[in-house]
Amino acid sequence: MSEAAAASAKGALEVNDKIIQALQIQGHAAIDLWRTALDNSRLPDGFNAQTGAARQAFETASAQWKDVAETTARWMTMSVEPLQSALLRHTR
């Protein structure tokens, strides 16, 4: 049981760190997106810059949330493995 609790705590911290990091990066990307839009005095240049920044922000966010999902799946697997091993030993 202690192995499962330790694995679960470690996984929770890892997922938590990734979520916090993703939110920070996305917040900075949103600010940069607005700065880009406001810094361009010409409408077409501003629109192009904003479109490119929005696409980049979306791709970054997608990659980050995919990483969070994969880490969460790994966390769940690592948390259950010690319990499964204990149950297998107990049933033998």
Side-chain angles (χ1 to χ4, degrees):
M1 287 297 274
S2 64
E3 288 178 41
S8 184
K10 181 181 175 187
L13 288 174
E14 185 178 0
V15 169
N16 213 16
D17 287 343
K18 288 182 183 275
I19 290 172
I20 290 169
Q21 182 182 26
L23 292 174
Q24 287 174 336
I25 290 171
Q26 290 171 20
H28 292 298
I31 291 170
D32 290 343
L33 180 64
W34 281 105
R35 277 194 191 122
T36 301
L38 295 174
D39 286 345
N40 288 297
S41 59
R42 292 184 43 210
L43 188 59
D45 292 339
F47 183 72
N48 288 337
Q50 190 173 16
T51 303
R55 184 180 340 105
Q56 179 66 33
F58 174 77
E59 290 171 359
T60 301
S62 295
Q64 289 173 320
W65 291 113
K66 180 181 176 188
D67 185 35
V68 168
E70 290 170 352
T71 304
T72 302
R74 219 174 27 257
W75 165 32
M76 292 298 132
T77 301
M78 289 173 32
S79 297
V80 173
E81 283 177 351
L83 295 174
Q84 287 177 332
S85 295
L87 286 173
L88 286 175
R89 282 190 302 250
H90 186 272
T91 57
R92 289 182 186 173

